[in-house]
Amino acid sequence: MAIFPIRVYPDPVLRSPAAPVERIDGHIRRLVDDMLETMYQAPGVGLAAPQIGVALQVVVFDVGEGPHHLINPVLLETAGSWTFDEGCLSVPDRFWSVRRPGFARARGLNLDGDEVEYAGEELLGRVLQHETDHLKGTIILHRLPRRLRKQAMKEMREEALGLSEGR
Ligand code: ZN
């Protein structure tokens, strides 16, 4: 297993749709292991493959019930409404009060190639929505009201620029 650096906005890999996994092999098993290790080390409750620079439809999460993964996940259903201080490892140290559906249900494959489904309210519901968003190239910044979004994107771009100039 290995810990990978987490890509930060405006990295293009975070803003592009990820490709479906076509064959679940050793490469994908290792990817899931590496993603879990990277997520726990961060620490975070969810991670999508593009966040470590891999443009494939794989997510991992742990909302306190142990490690889970979903390959080629599809968000099947959302309902209700819940406001939560949401953050993202790719937009570090920032949290916004974001309102989204409270309940979510997602289906995908596990490493054995079996269809699996996760459904839940609150934190699990939020993680399922947040991580499947990543696979479409959508990040938390896109879920903010326009003015907040523009401000945050500007700050992140300036920070990225400042870092590269300082090297
Ligand atoms: Zn995220």
Side-chain angles (χ1 to χ4, degrees), residues 71-85:
I71 298 162
N72 301 342
V74 178
L75 200 60
L76 297 174
E77 187 188 354
T78 57
S81 174
W82 187 49
T83 302
F84 177 67
D85 274 344

Side-chain angles (χ1 to χ4, degrees), residues 17-34:
V21 172
E22 284 176 7
R23 193 160 53 96
I24 298 169
D25 55 13
H27 171 72
I28 299 299
R29 265 182 280 280
R30 176 149 184 195
L31 174 65
V32 167
D33 281 348
D34 290 343

Side-chain angles (χ1 to χ4, degrees), residues 51 88-89 130 134:
Q51 292 184 277
C88 176
L89 294 173
H130 182 113
H134 270 300

Side-chain angles (χ1 to χ4, degrees), residues 12-63:
V13 73
L14 297 169
R15 295 178 286 141
S16 320
V21 172
E22 284 176 7
R23 193 160 53 96
I24 298 169
D25 55 13
H27 171 72
I28 299 299
R29 265 182 280 280
R30 176 149 184 195
L31 174 65
V32 167
D33 281 348
D34 290 343
M35 285 172 64
L36 282 168
E37 196 174 9
T38 302
M39 177 188 81
Y40 285 124
Q41 200 260 347
V45 294
L47 192 75
Q51 292 184 277
I52 60 165
V54 178
L56 287 174
Q57 294 178 12
V58 179
V59 304
V60 299
F61 55 94
D62 183 346
V63 295

Side-chain angles (χ1 to χ4, degrees), residues 63-134:
V63 295
E65 300 160 348
H68 296 291
H69 64 275
L70 272 175
I71 298 162
N72 301 342
V74 178
L75 200 60
L76 297 174
E77 187 188 354
T78 57
S81 174
W82 187 49
T83 302
F84 177 67
D85 274 344
E86 185 173 338
C88 176
L89 294 173
S90 295
V91 190
D93 306 321
R94 285 173 162 84
F95 293 86
W96 291 275
S97 181
V98 180
R99 189 169 138 179
R100 298 202 200 214
F103 171 85
R105 186 161 65 91
R107 182 188 293 157
L109 300 174
N110 65 16
L111 285 173
D112 296 321
D114 300 324
E115 211 164 66
V116 284
E117 210 172 283
Y118 290 93
E121 304 271 356
E122 300 200 339
L123 190 55
L124 177 57
R126 184 61 57 108
V127 165
L128 293 174
Q129 293 174 72
H130 182 113
E131 301 311 330
T132 51
D133 264 1
H134 270 300

